[in-house]
């Protein structure tokens, strides 16, 4: 499956995508799309626009080449009414193809919808599907603070990956680009960085 298709499948975990690449909420009460999302896969960049933009803002933004917008997102910000004090969110999107080994899963076990690592009867790390649909699932991982940097989150994520991959679905793991630990965690389990994203809430 081509990279752009994989990116689109991931976006569909969060939003509905219109023919003109506008993003809409999947349903009432779900994720509100950002005003602008720029997605880069290899050397190709695509721009998606959220429903909160005015017709005038859309017209201005459509005139900018997505590659230029990705390299200079401040140009996008200047074209929007009111700008955005919070700034852009930068995310790396990883995809897992191969189920981890039993050694990588370690002592993680499935507990309902979570994959959990216990220490002395206490849950200290867990991974679960933050979002899912018929084709894919997206992981989230959490580790109790005093048990971090001991490999427990890695075991929990490995168990989640194994479950999703063996079920025939695509396993995604997004992580903020500034979060070096998240990228290393994904890479250590065979994750491939599929795309990078810049979103303006």
């Amino acid at each position: 499956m081509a990279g752009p298709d994989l990116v689109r499948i991931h976006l569909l975990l969060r939003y509905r995508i219109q023919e003109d690449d506008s993003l809409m909420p999947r349903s009432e009460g779900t994720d509100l799309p950002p005003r602008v999302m720029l997605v880069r896969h290899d050397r190709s960049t695509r721009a998606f626009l959220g429903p909160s933009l005015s017709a005038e803002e859309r017209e201005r933004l459509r005139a900018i080449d997505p590659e230029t917008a990705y390299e200079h997102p401040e140009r996008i910000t200047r074209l929007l009414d009111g700008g955005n004090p919070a700034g852009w969110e930068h995310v790396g999107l990883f995809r897992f193809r191969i189920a981890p080994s039993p050694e990588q899963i370690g002592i993680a076990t499935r507990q309902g919808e979570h994959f959990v690592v216990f220490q002395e009867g206490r849950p200290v790390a867990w991974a679960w599907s933050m979002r899912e649909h018929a084709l894919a699932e997206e992981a989230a991982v959490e580790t109790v603070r005093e048990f971090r940097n001991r490999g427990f989150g890695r075991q929990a994520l490995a168990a989640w990956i194994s479950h999703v991959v063996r079920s025939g679905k695509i396993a995604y793991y997004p992580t903020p680009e500034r979060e070096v630990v998240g990228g290393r965690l994904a890479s250590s389990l065979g994750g491939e960085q599929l795309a990078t994203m810049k979103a303006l809430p």
Side-chain angles (χ1 to χ4, degrees):
M1 187 178 294
D5 294 328
L6 290 168
V7 169
R8 189 176 185 87
I9 289 171
H10 176 260
L11 286 177
L12 288 171
L13 284 165
R14 299 175 178 231
Y15 317 114
R16 290 185 292 114
I17 305 175
Q18 309 290 78
E19 290 185 4
D20 64 351
D21 284 345
S22 293
L23 300 177
M24 301 295 290
R26 286 188 67 187
S27 60
E28 187 177 351
T30 58
D31 292 310
L32 181 66
R35 287 189 285 173
V36 183
M37 176 174 282
L38 304 169
V39 181
R40 172 172 284 179
H41 169 74
D42 290 336
R43 297 182 180 178
S44 174
T45 303
R46 197 160 185 173
F48 298 88
L49 304 181
S52 63
L53 294 175
S54 67
E56 292 77 13
E57 287 175 316
R58 289 174 178 275
E59 186 175 355
R60 294 195 293 265
L61 295 181
R62 292 296 188 193
I64 298 181
D65 174 66
E67 291 287 341
T68 301
Y70 191 92
E71 293 297 333
H72 303 281
E74 70 279 0
R75 297 185 184 181
I76 293 286
T77 309
R78 287 198 296 264
L79 292 175
L80 297 177
D81 299 333
N84 181 43
W88 290 80
E89 298 174 353
H90 297 220
V91 174
L93 178 63
F94 289 83
R95 181 236 180 145
F96 302 96
R97 295 175 181 266
I98 301 172
S101 66
E103 291 74 21
Q104 291 173 311
I105 294 172
I107 59 175
T109 59
R110 184 170 185 178
Q111 306 290 322
E113 298 301 314
H114 291 70
F115 297 85
V116 184
V117 174
F118 289 91
Q119 288 289 289
E120 299 179 357
R122 174 189 178 187
V124 299
W126 48 92
W128 71 100
S129 292
M130 179 73 75
R131 300 170 182 86
E132 61 181 291
H133 56 45
L135 298 178
E137 299 187 29
E138 178 184 292
V141 184
E142 188 172 350
T143 303
V144 175
R145 182 177 297 276
E146 59 265 36
F147 289 91
R148 291 175 184 171
N149 301 315
R150 293 168 60 178
F152 297 135
R154 183 175 185 270
Q155 292 180 26
L157 181 59
W160 177 89
I161 295 167
S162 179
H163 168 74
V164 175
V165 170
R166 293 181 189 282
S167 73
K169 299 173 78 172
I170 303 169
Y172 292 108
Y173 181 54
T175 180
E177 284 196 305
R178 67 180 181 278
E179 188 181 298
V180 177
V181 172
R184 287 177 179 169
L185 173 62
S187 297
S188 74
L189 292 171
E192 306 167 357
Q193 187 159 339
L194 178 64
T196 56
M197 304 177 179
K198 294 182 180 181
L200 188 67

